[in-house]
Amino acid sequence: MRGVCTRSGSLSAADFYASAIYFSQRWNETNSDFPNWVWIPCSRLGAISEDEGYLVLEKIKLQTERNDSNLEELNNCDSSANDDLTDEATLVDVHSHDAHLYDLHIAYSFTYKVPVLYFRGYKSDGCHLSLDEIKEELPSHSVEILQKSKWTFMTQEEHPYLNTPWYTLHPCGTGDWMKLLLSSTSYGENISLIQYLPAWLSVIGQTVGLRVPLELYSRS
Amino acid sequence: MEEEATKYIWEGAIPLQIKLHESEITSFPPPPPLMILGLRIGYLPLLVPPLKAHFSSTLPPGTDNVWFDYKGLPLKWYIPTGVLFDLLCAEPERPWNLTVHFRGSPGDVLTPCEGEESVKWSYINSLKEAAYVINGNCKNVMNMSQADQYDLWQSLLKGNMEGYLKISSRLKLGPFGEDSLPSEASETVASSRPSRIPVRLYVRSVGEEIVDIEDAPIIDSWDKISYINRPFEIYKEEGGYVSLKQALKSLLPETFNTNSSQEESSTNVKDPNAPDFEDDNAKLRLVRVQGIEPDMDIPFFWLANCLRNPEFYLHICVFISKQPKLI
């Protein structure tokens, strides 16, 4: 059921689905230079779910320390005054011989009733990046938090739908900070839950160097 | 009754016969397999110390990276041993023959396990998650003192039920459902939120043509198993009596019932005399919890209270068959 923001910080599975479809449509419309988010329905024992699944964005280059030098050539958006926000998601540069690419998946946690980010990185030869290699690439404030608490921030866990290990940001605190975010004045009183995902990604994206374009927040 | 059930669970163990993978045997004659009991509520990596002691003289040089397989299937180390056994051995094998490897864990399939610490943190995370499901927050687990966390873990390691219960009872995470009806004062608040029970389902599909479940083929890939980590929810005013069968159908809506919606099926009390699942796409062949095949009409809450694991999760292995479609 679609609903007005309940200020609880969490959302139902049905709301997650609605928000995921809305978010991917808006992203794909406003971000034509960038790969699309795709909804993958959950397929279980031969039955394809109508509304359970996850979003994927694959083979992208994140704004990382090492990609900075490539940024000027590929950046085609206005950079903001604050240096920290010049993080722009860049085009996939398949010609760069040492490009690190990432897959990002967003799935729903039935326990915590929030979205969860799963990601993994590859070298250009297809080899998976280790935790240490990813740490070198993450924005520095993420690394600080990671260092303080290895187990409660970023962990390697099994993807809820694929039988493979992925890195994930632990969701147990998400409800709390989303509650704060959704009740802040910049979002106004009546934000619909359909905008939950763009709001959530605006925070989570920063942890891994993915920026969400501002156009995504404009009400169409 | 629940105390007896808890004791039964803590005492449950699977006799294991663990051999070293042939690629890692450098001595002749090869070492015999190790016969050891694996606690049902325990985890395979916790058996590494005795395994290492038994096999160390024959291992090739290098650093240890321990993993297990059953007939070639790498075993997920964070699933309790008893659950792995109930799920993967359609016909219970005694002793259960496993292979241990000390090198070359398949990192593309298994998340890495760095020994006891990894298992402990996976366990605490599950406990946190269960607390969140039950209470809506995991404060009680987060606020455990280091000493308590240590004692809790040590009790689990050693199979010390009394020691464990002394600490876990302070977390106030049970019992589920009927036994925990709110006091009148909090009735209005509590009844607006459903009761949630932490459940982990492991579902495998068996061909309709297989008459005896024990003849089900060996699992050669985790893609053949559906893992569902999803709380079971019920509103108290809708009736405390929900059977195991009804609970499973509500947790597996697409698998069973194309007609009823997710919200309705958990409380849809069907005529107990009607044939099983005549409207459904699939048929329940076998359900195992802690090595027991419970009656399908058993009250779900009671089952969860008696047969849950120490981290408050109820692990259920389910074997289903798809109904052939009528043309």
Side-chain angles (χ1 to χ4, degrees), chain A residues 1 10 13 42-52 109-113 128 150-152 155-158 160 162-166 170 172 175, chain B residues 76 78 107-112 114 118 121 125 128-129 132-133 138 196 203-205 222-224 226-231 233 254-255 313 320 322:
Chain A
M1 303 318 273
S10 59
C42 157
S43 168
R44 195 167 271 151
L45 303 164
I48 297 184
S49 174
E50 280 178 5
D51 56 6
E52 186 182 342
S109 164
F110 285 91
T111 296
Y112 296 100
K113 299 198 175 209
H128 288 282
K150 178 185 178 193
W151 301 101
T152 61
T155 52
Q156 192 172 25
E157 277 183 18
E158 196 165 285
L162 309 169
N163 287 303
T164 42
W166 286 66
H170 202 279
C172 62
Chain B
K76 297 187 180 184
Y78 46 84
D108 53 336
V109 173
L110 290 182
T111 49
E114 289 153 27
S118 296
W121 285 110
N125 267 319
K128 244 170 66 165
E129 208 183 317
Y132 196 94
V133 168
C138 27
R196 304 212 297 166
V203 188
R204 48 184 286 198
S205 181
W222 286 99
D223 292 337
K224 303 219 166 111
S226 263
Y227 169 60
I228 295 143
N229 180 21
R230 186 167 176 154
E233 294 193 11
E254 317 93 11
T255 311
Y313 262 94
I320 63 164
K322 302 281 187 52

Side-chain angles (χ1 to χ4, degrees), chain A residues 100-113:
Chain A
H100 284 183
L101 301 180
Y102 284 82
D103 290 342
L104 304 184
H105 288 198
I106 304 177
Y108 179 74
S109 164
F110 285 91
T111 296
Y112 296 100
K113 299 198 175 209

Side-chain angles (χ1 to χ4, degrees), chain A residues 191-211:
Chain A
I191 178 176
S192 163
L193 272 175
I194 209 158
Q195 285 166 315
Y196 188 104
L197 265 185
W200 171 84
L201 195 63
S202 70
V203 175
I204 288 286
Q206 286 179 52
T207 347
V208 293
L210 177 74
R211 182 166 173 265

